[in-house]
Amino acid sequence: MTPMPTGEEKTRPTADRRIARRAVAGRLSWGLADQAASSMTNFAVGIYVARSLGVTAFGVFSLAWLTYGVVLNVARGLATDPLVVRFSGAPEASWRAATARSSGAALGVGTALGAVCLLVGLGLGGRVGPAFVCLGVVLPALLLQDAWRFAFFAAGTGRKAFVNDLVWGVALVPAMVVAAREGSVAAFVLAWGASAAVAAVYGCFQSGIRPRPHQARGWLREQRDLGYRYLVENVSLSGASQLRAYGLGAIVGVGAVGAVRGAELLLGPFLALLMGLSLVTVAEAARVLRRAPHRLGRFCLLLGGGQAAAALLWGAALLLMPGRLGEFVLGGVWSSASELIVPATLGVAGAGLGSGAAAGLRALAAARRSLRCQLFASACYVGGGLGGAAVAGTVGSAWGVAAATLCGSALWWLQLRSALREHHQDPIPEVRTP
């Protein structure tokens, strides 16, 4: 006769679940804290440079900043995204070996594309050239610092990523003061990159790992089934936003781009929240997949649904915000930006909903499916934004983007459902050892 479980045995699974939930909440909290530190640093740099240089020179600095954003997406797709997918929750020895190679790949990408920027800058000359020359010099440090952030989240130690970003922020203060005395765009780019180098070196001490650039080619070759697809995903995502902005300016006018940017600033705190969660969600989904695969679908639904609900609540709060407060925040941009709050909120809610499914597809290493979804979503984003602008101006563009985002979210969830069904039939290996 089977003995009856004792009260302690009955309560043990409940206690274990509570501990697991607290651990997940802790890792998500560090992701939000890290993104808050990173966003505040970027915001402070932008404001300080704009006030120090004026509009024209700040435009040159912005070109360097945007170029860095594109290169960063390339490095993440090839180096750090595969690390998060395949080595989140892995044994420490596997994680350390993979991190050494992944950070080496990020350093290699930074060196190669930095050399391209340097040559382009030397060829351009004028005001823009020196900024790109300096960007080429500091790109390896910038990409290595970002690689440590993703490595720490893959290991479940988001606190180290937060501390690393704090170190960067502290190092920025004296660097920016020195750059302000020089008063040139090149000086500010060098100060920005030099402070990132401080954080990148500190990341080596935090992890106890030395990047291995000589193994970058092997890492890229082994992860090519994910890396090249993630590269296309990341670049298409940022490229769609740029194409919509350029097209909107051509169809409606530059003022329309300003109105859209104003609406994005109103949603800025929530977008920072979304970005902070994105640092952690793939790693958490990968852990759920390894420990309780049958719970992955529910985890993704709670994740996406929670973000969508939070976006709707934030949008409702913006609609209730007094007009005087809006004018204080955005000045003359408020009147045009306030008309876009509803469609912009729906667009962000759709993106939040889809991000839950995207995390699941990344955790499943279903790179072909996620690439298909991202290309479809990017095409819809550009088509809806520009088609709406041609029909109904700025407001039409905002509603077109909202509809496109919701359509893209639907495809993400359809693909996740199919991927989960395939996984139950043919499970993937738990960890790919280097």
Side-chain angles (χ1 to χ4, degrees):
M1 184 174 179
T2 304
M4 295 292 291
T6 65
E8 182 181 351
E9 291 172 334
K10 289 180 180 178
T11 58
R12 188 176 302 153
T14 302
D16 291 343
R17 284 195 294 270
R18 288 174 182 170
I19 293 172
R21 290 193 191 103
R22 283 198 294 268
V24 172
R27 289 191 290 266
L28 292 175
S29 298
W30 282 118
L32 295 176
D34 176 72
Q35 184 57 43
S38 179
S39 297
M40 288 301 296
T41 299
N42 292 339
F43 179 75
V45 168
I47 293 297
Y48 190 78
V49 174
R51 292 173 64 88
S52 301
L53 295 181
V55 64
T56 302
F58 181 63
V60 176
F61 182 84
S62 298
L63 287 176
W65 188 290
L66 290 172
T67 303
Y68 158 70
V70 174
V71 174
L72 185 64
N73 279 326
V74 172
R76 286 179 176 178
L78 294 175
T80 52
D81 284 345
L83 174 74
V84 173
V85 169
R86 286 189 163 141
F87 294 91
S88 291
E92 184 178 359
S94 296
W95 172 81
R96 292 180 66 84
T99 297
R101 304 170 79 196
S102 172
S103 58
L107 200 55
V109 171
T111 302
L113 295 182
V116 173
C117 287
L118 193 150
L119 292 175
V120 169
L122 291 174
L124 287 175
R127 287 186 170 184
V128 178
F132 275 80
V133 169
C134 294
L135 178 65
V137 172
V138 300
L139 265 179
L142 288 165
L143 298 190
L144 180 58
Q145 190 276 337
D146 188 73
W148 290 130
R149 295 174 69 204
F150 278 75
F152 291 141
F153 281 115
T157 54
R159 177 181 58 83
K160 291 184 177 181
F162 173 71
V163 172
N164 193 275
D165 270 327
L166 282 184
V167 169
W168 187 5
V170 171
L172 262 172
V173 176
M176 285 291 163
V177 172
V178 173
R181 292 178 180 175
E182 176 65 23
S184 67
V185 177
F188 277 104
V189 173
L190 284 177
W192 173 46
S195 55
V198 173
V201 172
Y202 180 63
C204 296
F205 288 101
Q206 283 180 294
S207 62
I209 297 172
R210 185 177 64 183
R212 301 187 181 278
H214 63 282
Q215 296 182 2
R217 183 175 297 178
W219 173 266
L220 297 178
R221 183 173 59 252
E222 290 178 9
Q223 309 300 327
R224 64 181 179 273
D225 59 324
L226 298 183
Y228 294 121
R229 290 189 173 97
Y230 290 160
L231 167 65
V232 176
E233 278 189 46
N234 294 346
V235 173
S236 68
L237 180 62
S238 58
S241 179
Q242 295 296 323
L243 286 175
R244 187 237 180 161
Y246 295 147
L248 183 61
I251 295 171
V252 183
V254 178
V257 180
V260 170
R261 179 57 182 157
E264 291 175 349
L265 286 174
L266 291 173
L267 290 161
F270 181 79
L271 292 175
L273 170 70
L274 195 64
M275 292 176 63
L277 286 174
S278 68
L279 289 171
V280 193
T281 51
V282 176
E284 289 303 319
R287 288 187 179 90
V288 172
L289 179 64
R290 300 204 202 307
R291 297 173 183 173
H294 61 284
R295 294 181 180 172
L296 180 61
R298 185 174 63 178
F299 172 82
C300 294
L301 183 60
L302 289 173
L303 179 65
Q307 291 179 92
L312 294 175
L313 289 174
W314 184 266
L318 290 176
L319 290 174
L320 297 174
M321 186 171 67
R324 291 182 180 179
L325 181 58
E327 291 176 0
F328 175 77
V329 174
L330 294 180
V333 179
W334 164 255
S335 59
S336 55
S338 61
E339 298 177 356
L340 309 181
I341 290 176
V342 173
T345 298
L346 292 176
V348 173
L353 183 62
S355 69
L361 285 176
R362 285 280 176 107
L364 289 164
R368 184 174 299 175
R369 291 185 181 276
S370 61
L371 175 60
R372 189 181 306 153
C373 291
Q374 188 57 66
L375 291 177
F376 175 79
S378 297
C380 287
Y381 183 90
V382 175
L386 299 186
V391 173
T394 309
V395 176
S397 178
W399 280 106
V401 166
T405 305
L406 292 171
C407 290
S409 178
L411 182 62
W412 280 107
W413 281 101
L414 288 173
Q415 290 295 320
L416 177 61
R417 186 177 66 174
S418 299
L420 286 171
R421 189 181 300 119
E422 288 181 359
H423 174 75
H424 291 322
Q425 295 171 356
D426 184 20
I428 60 173
E430 287 194 0
V431 176
R432 173 174 292 197
T433 54

